[in-house]
């Protein structure tokens, strides 16, 4: 995926340049090694990169260096380069130089696993590196992708003790900096720290830059630049060869922008015309290498010229020890670009076109597309974007792809059926259903009436276009709950998808199973998906099998088979763990589903554990909507411990991240919110929800709206309790009776149990004790074998009173007593903690106590007079026994258990 000869990333520290080694800052950087993170955050030109590179050159700490750019907002590219940087360290420290290769292969698989799962695997490999080292992320301000930021947060939270992270950036990154500072896990250097002091400025100007300035001139420059490193350097360059340095210093005033423009103009004007032309023409490039610069400028000696520019200290920064790749100092590049746009605006597009052609010829389509777009060469860019769709979709990089597509003129996209369909799928992935429909129609127009105006770059994709469109329409119909439409388009797709297109056929077949699920025919859906799962497993393709296992577990839970559902989730997790890749996409939803099973069965601790695991795994691909489902599950748990306001806040988050998709939305966020309002007595809001959604007691019933209608019955019962309005109770009773029959007919025993419990509460509200107990007994009969708890406990005091009456009459005595005990647990904010199955040994307890300190692994080993590998063995045993996977969580878990 990445051409080795074109790897422009810097994986080792940049070569040492002429600079001032600043002891006060070196001391701060050395101090940071005892913490997880050193953040160097200051505006452009404050010498962040120079400081770190000089420090690394003079310390004993091995380091890997990664220079970031806009392209690294692609999570796959970021991960690939991160691994490559770490491999350089592993090789230098005689560790496994092939570390991360399995993760790299997983990144390039058709369905890449979750980023955090990949990072977990990578972190385990990092932990095997024997010595301390640092990883530098330079120019982190170029990163704005939430997925990359989330990956870095995960990395920091689980950072092995021998690894130290250094971030150099123009602006603070979106990391939990306040928490890291509060825990003394980071230090930061700011502009005030990086400003040159008068003595540092004197050493730089006179010794490094070779000037002979007086104390007064140095003081004046230091004051007027406010210690700004770039200002000092630019001033020194402009003064070289001048005999009137004092006059120059006296005239040196103005804001940073003015000073920069003035000095760069001075520098540019002093260059020979061929050099000046080269600087301006290559300013459009983020990175420079001889052949690329030759292609852009028409020269044949760019490599030689780049070497000369570096020797002249003309803001050219080498990016590798071989002096092959360079970049301009960012300030210098900015000014060069503004200058060429001002002087030769008509030349800039042609420069971008040449760069694009070179990148395309050398196998870097992403850079080729970027420069083609910058050139306004939209036809050529569209060709490359169209050809990039299929491989990027398979590796879940549609977010990057759609950003390119959005930059194209609309009429150009509409003339390209393959591009239109790719755009439609990318929009479907992000939940933009209306936009996807328009793009599908654009493509269908060409199939109905092809003409010479139609443009196709990817001929192979065009041949399968009818099948691809039908598959997209299947996805879209199911996302809208259109079951007949789903079946219609799925059959069309299967008729048109070639037998050898295995992934597309499986995808469409799964959608057919989901249509049965959405219709409420759970038994048929279960049989259909079970047969499909057997076929996929027989073919050896585990990824679809894991996805189908998740759907089957969801169905079993809806059928009221909690025990089978729990087993199904666990088996799916095991199936994912058995893959050669670190983890399978979808494990976030598996842990979420398992957490909800534990929650329903009253094991709040296990539920919290699995929901937290789901969040920590956090897939970068949002297409399956796992985020909003997790927030809903977390809201249920929050309500279970008595924090309904917190639950409502979580539902707000669920709504914010909601992505419409084909998985049946059987628990709509708005209805869940109305339930919590009813619990809080906010009936005006709850009834307003029903009016807004047009949910009434005499609607036609369907599985997709069952949750909403049960919610409405709850609101009616709450209204009757407050207002004693007979019509509200009549409406609730008739609705519940119809819902009960529909759920029983569909085999949805989970809903049946809830409906019977509500019928019992409706009778109790009317003081009809015998029918209330009869309905309750029916519910208990179904619920007891599966261990249901929350469906009763969530109903609060009225249900507690009914269970008390049931206990008096000997109805399911053991089960009822367990449910009554659970009402006391519902008032606790945290669930009780069970003891460890296997206790920690005395030595493991010693290691555990030291893990709670700031000591590193080697320091712990020295303290206990054992080898580092022994400490790591004890640590892994501790993690296994505590059921955790990192140091921080281990300490928290030990505190919960009273071990610390």
């Amino acid at each position: 995926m990445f051409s080795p000869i074109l790897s422009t990333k810097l994986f080792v520290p940049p070569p040492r340049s002429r600079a001032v080694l600043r002891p006060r800052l070196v001391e701060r950087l050395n101090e940071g090694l005892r913490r997880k993170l050193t953040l160097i955050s200051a505006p452009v030109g404050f010498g962040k990169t120079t400081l770190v590179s000089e420090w690394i050159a003079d310390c004993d700490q091995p380091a890997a260096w990664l220079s970031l750019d806009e392209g690294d907002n692609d999570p796959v590219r970021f991960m690939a380069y991160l691994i490559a940087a770490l491999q350089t360290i592993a090789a230098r420290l005689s560790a496994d130089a092939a570390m991360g290769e399995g993760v790299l292969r997983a990144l390039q698989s058709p369905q890449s696993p979750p980023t955090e799962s990949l990072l977990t695997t990578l972190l385990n490999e990092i932990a095997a590196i024997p010595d301390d080292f640092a990883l530098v992320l330079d120019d982190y301000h170029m990163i704005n992708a939430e997925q990359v930021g989330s990956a870095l947060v995960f990395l920091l939270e689980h950072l092995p003790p021998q690894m130290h992270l250094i971030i150099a950036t123009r602006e603070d990154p979106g990391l939990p900096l306040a928490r890291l500072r509060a825990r003394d896990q980071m230090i930061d250097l700011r502009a005030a720290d990086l400003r040159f002091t008068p003595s540092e400025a004197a050493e730089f100007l006179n010794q490094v830059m070779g000037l002979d300035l007086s104390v007064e001139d140095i003081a004046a420059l230091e004051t007027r630049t406010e210690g700004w490193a770039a200002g000092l350097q630019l001033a020194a360059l402009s003064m070289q060869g001048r005999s009137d340095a004092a006059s120059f210093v006296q005239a040196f005033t103005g804001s940073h922008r003015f000073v920069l423009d003035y000095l760069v103009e001075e520098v540019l004007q002093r260059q020979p015309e061929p050099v000046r032309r080269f600087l301006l023409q290559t300013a459009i490039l983020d990175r420079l290498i001889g052949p690329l610069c030759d292609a852009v400028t028409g020269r044949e000696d760019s490599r030689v010229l780049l070497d000369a520019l570096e020797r002249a200290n003309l803001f050219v920064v080498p990016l590798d020890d071989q002096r092959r790749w360079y970049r301009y100092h960012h300030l210098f590049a900015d000014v060069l670009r503004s200058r060429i746009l001002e002087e030769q605006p008509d030349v800039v597009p042609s420069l971008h076109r040449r760069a694009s052609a070179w990148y395309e010829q050398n196998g870097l389509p992403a850079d080729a597309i970027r420069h083609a777009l910058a050139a306004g060469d939209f036809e050529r860019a569209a060709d490359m974007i169209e050809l990039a769709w299929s491989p990027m979709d398979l590796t879940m990089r549609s977010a990057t792809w759609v950003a390119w597509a959005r930059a194209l003129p609309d009429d150009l996209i509409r003339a390209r059926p393959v591009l239109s369909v790719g755009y439609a799928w990318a929009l479907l992935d992000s939940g933009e259903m209306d936009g996807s429909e328009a793009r599908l129609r654009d493509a269908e127009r060409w199939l109905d009436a092809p003409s010479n105006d139609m443009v196709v770059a990817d001929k192979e994709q065009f041949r399968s276009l009818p099948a691809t469109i039908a598959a997209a329409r299947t996805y879209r119909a199911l996302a809208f709950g259109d079951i007949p439409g789903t079946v219609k388009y799925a059959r069309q797709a299967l008729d048109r998808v070639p037998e050898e297109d295995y992934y597309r056929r499986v995808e469409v077949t799964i959608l057919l199973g989901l249509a049965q699920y959405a219709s409420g025919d759970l038994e048929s859906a279960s049989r259909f998906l079970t047969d499909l799962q057997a076929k996929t497993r027989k073919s050896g393709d585990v990824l679809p099998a894991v996805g189908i296992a998740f759907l089957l577990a969801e169905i079993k839970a809806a059928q009221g088979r909690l025990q089978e559902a729990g087993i199904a989730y666990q088996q799916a997790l095991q199936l994912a763990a058995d893959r050669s890749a670190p983890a399978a996409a979808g494990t976030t939803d598996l842990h979420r589903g398992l957490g909800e099973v534990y929650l329903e069965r009253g094991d709040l601790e296990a539920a919290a554990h699995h929901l937290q695991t789901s969040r920590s795994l956090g897939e970068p691909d949002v297409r399956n909507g796992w985020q909003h489902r997790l927030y809903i599950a977390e809201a249920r748990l929050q309500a279970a411990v008595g924090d309904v306001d917190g639950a409502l806040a979580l539902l707000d988050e669920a709504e914010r991240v909601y992505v419409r998709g084909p998985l049946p939305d059987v628990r709509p966020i708005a209805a869940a919110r109305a339930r919590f309002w009813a619990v809080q007595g906010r009936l005006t809001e709850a009834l307003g929800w029903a009016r807004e959604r047009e949910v009434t007691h005499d609607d036609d019933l369907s599985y997709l709206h069952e949750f909403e209608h049960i919610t409405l019955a709850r609101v009616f019962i709450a209204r009757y309790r407050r207002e004693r309005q007979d019509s509200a109770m009549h409406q609730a009773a008739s609705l519940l009776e119809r819902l009960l029959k529909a759920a029983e007919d569909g085999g949805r025993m989970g809903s049946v149990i809830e409906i019977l419990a509500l019928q019992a509460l409706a009778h109790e509200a009317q003081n009809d004790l015998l029918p209330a107990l009869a309905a309750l007994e029916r519910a208990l009969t179904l619920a007891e074998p599966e261990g249901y708890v929350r469906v009763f406990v969530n109903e609060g005091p009225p249900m507690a009173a009914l269970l008390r009456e049931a206990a008096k009459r000997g109805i399911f005595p053991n089960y009822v007593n367990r449910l009554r005990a659970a009402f006391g647990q519902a008032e606790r904010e945290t669930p009780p903690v069970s003891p460890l199955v296997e206790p920690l040994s005395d030595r493991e307890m010693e290691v555990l106590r030291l893990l709670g300190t700031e000591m590193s692994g080697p320091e712990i080993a020295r303290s206990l007079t054992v080898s580092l590998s022994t400490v790591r063995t004890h640590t892994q045993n501790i993690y296994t026994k505590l059921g955790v996977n990192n140091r921080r969580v281990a300490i928290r878990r030990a505190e919960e258990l009273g071990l610390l």
Side-chain angles (χ1 to χ4, degrees), residues 304-359:
V304 175
L305 184 52
L306 286 170
D307 291 341
L309 292 175
E310 186 204 353
R311 288 194 300 272
N313 204 23
L314 203 61
F315 296 100
V316 176
V317 181
L319 295 178
D320 54 55
D321 283 331
Q322 291 75 40
R323 296 311 205 261
R324 296 177 65 246
W325 283 95
Y326 297 85
R327 67 167 173 85
Y328 290 125
H329 184 289
H330 295 310
L331 278 178
F332 194 49
D334 289 343
V335 173
L336 291 175
R337 292 184 191 115
S338 65
R339 192 70 56 194
I340 192 170
L341 284 171
E342 179 181 327
E343 296 179 4
Q344 307 172 56
D346 296 338
V347 172
V348 174
S350 66
L351 297 175
H352 280 294
R353 276 193 290 271
R354 295 173 197 168
S356 177
W358 188 89
Y359 277 121

Side-chain angles (χ1 to χ4, degrees), residues 142-470:
M142 303 299 291
I143 302 299
N144 53 40
E146 182 178 346
Q147 295 169 17
V148 174
S150 298
L152 192 60
V153 170
F154 185 90
L155 181 69
L156 271 171
E157 288 178 348
H158 304 84
L159 204 67
Q162 66 266 48
M163 179 175 172
H164 178 67
L165 187 64
I166 300 173
I167 294 178
T169 177
R170 294 184 189 177
E171 57 190 37
D172 280 3
L175 302 176
L177 300 180
R179 187 167 73 231
L180 291 168
R181 289 192 192 98
R183 295 175 178 174
D184 195 28
Q185 293 178 338
M186 69 167 287
I187 67 164
D188 45 355
L189 297 176
R190 301 286 171 171
D193 303 304
L194 299 177
R195 290 186 179 116
F196 275 59
T197 63
S199 61
E200 290 170 343
E203 182 181 355
F204 174 75
L205 292 167
N206 284 346
Q207 297 183 28
V208 175
M209 299 304 294
L211 300 176
D212 186 21
L213 301 180
S214 67
V215 174
E216 292 78 16
D217 289 339
I218 291 171
L221 272 180
E222 193 276 334
T223 299
R224 289 170 184 172
T225 60
E226 299 183 66
W228 182 43
L232 289 170
Q233 185 176 17
L234 288 168
L237 286 171
S238 296
M239 283 188 286
Q240 286 180 342
R242 284 181 178 269
S243 58
D244 57 345
S247 300
F248 177 88
V249 170
Q250 293 301 317
F252 187 78
T253 60
S255 67
H256 282 181
R257 181 175 179 82
F258 173 80
V259 169
L260 180 65
D261 289 345
Y262 174 78
L263 290 176
V264 171
E265 183 133 357
E266 285 284 306
V267 172
L268 279 177
Q269 285 179 347
R270 293 172 178 268
Q271 303 306 314
E273 180 55 31
V275 173
R276 185 178 187 277
R277 184 165 57 251
F278 178 88
L279 292 172
L280 293 176
Q281 290 176 342
T282 55
I284 65 158
L285 302 172
D286 292 332
R287 289 178 174 83
L288 313 167
I289 192 171
L292 172 59
C293 294
D294 285 344
V296 171
T297 64
R299 299 176 66 105
E300 297 179 353
D301 61 346
S302 296
R303 170 68 184 272
V304 175
L305 184 52
L306 286 170
D307 291 341
L309 292 175
E310 186 204 353
R311 288 194 300 272
N313 204 23
L314 203 61
F315 296 100
V316 176
V317 181
L319 295 178
D320 54 55
D321 283 331
Q322 291 75 40
R323 296 311 205 261
R324 296 177 65 246
W325 283 95
Y326 297 85
R327 67 167 173 85
Y328 290 125
H329 184 289
H330 295 310
L331 278 178
F332 194 49
D334 289 343
V335 173
L336 291 175
R337 292 184 191 115
S338 65
R339 192 70 56 194
I340 192 170
L341 284 171
E342 179 181 327
E343 296 179 4
Q344 307 172 56
D346 296 338
V347 172
V348 174
S350 66
L351 297 175
H352 280 294
R353 276 193 290 271
R354 295 173 197 168
S356 177
W358 188 89
Y359 277 121
E360 184 181 21
Q361 292 164 10
N362 285 274
L364 289 175
D367 291 302
I369 290 169
R370 181 168 55 84
H371 279 285
L373 291 172
D377 191 352
F378 296 122
E379 289 283 350
R380 186 166 162 277
D383 283 346
M384 292 188 288
I385 293 170
E386 182 174 314
L387 290 166
W389 163 248
S390 183
M392 293 186 73
D393 181 48
L394 287 174
T395 53
M396 297 186 182
R397 299 171 64 191
S398 61
T400 298
W401 187 91
V402 80
W404 295 336
R406 290 186 196 278
L408 297 172
D410 190 65
D411 57 347
L412 188 149
I413 297 173
R414 295 178 64 191
R416 295 168 173 262
V418 175
L419 187 59
S420 294
V421 171
Y423 204 166
W425 267 111
L427 294 174
L428 285 173
D429 290 342
S430 60
E432 298 180 48
M433 297 294 156
D434 292 340
S436 68
E437 172 62 20
R439 297 302 173 186
L440 289 174
R441 288 179 180 173
D442 289 340
E444 287 171 328
R445 176 168 56 89
W446 292 112
L447 294 180
D448 294 338
S451 76
N452 292 332
D453 295 330
M454 181 178 71
V455 181
V456 175
D458 193 332
K459 303 294 193 296
E460 182 179 351
Q461 287 295 317
F462 180 73
R463 284 191 291 272
S464 62
L465 207 58
T468 308
I469 292 173

Side-chain angles (χ1 to χ4, degrees), residues 545-599:
V546 172
I548 296 168
F550 159 70
L551 297 176
L552 288 170
E554 294 277 293
I555 290 171
K556 290 181 188 299
Q559 290 175 312
R561 302 173 185 172
L562 290 186
Q563 295 192 52
E564 291 182 29
I567 292 170
Y569 284 123
Q570 289 170 335
Q571 289 176 339
L573 284 169
Q574 186 58 51
L575 184 62
D578 289 343
R579 295 184 65 237
S580 57
T587 52
T588 50
D589 252 332
L590 292 173
H591 279 289
R592 187 271 310 160
L594 189 54
E596 292 202 75
V597 169
Y598 279 117
L599 174 60

Side-chain angles (χ1 to χ4, degrees), residues 720-731:
Y720 176 81
R721 289 186 185 279
R722 173 184 288 184
E723 302 173 4
R724 290 300 178 191
Q725 189 180 92
D726 290 339
S727 61
M729 184 55 72
H730 292 321
Q731 290 172 333

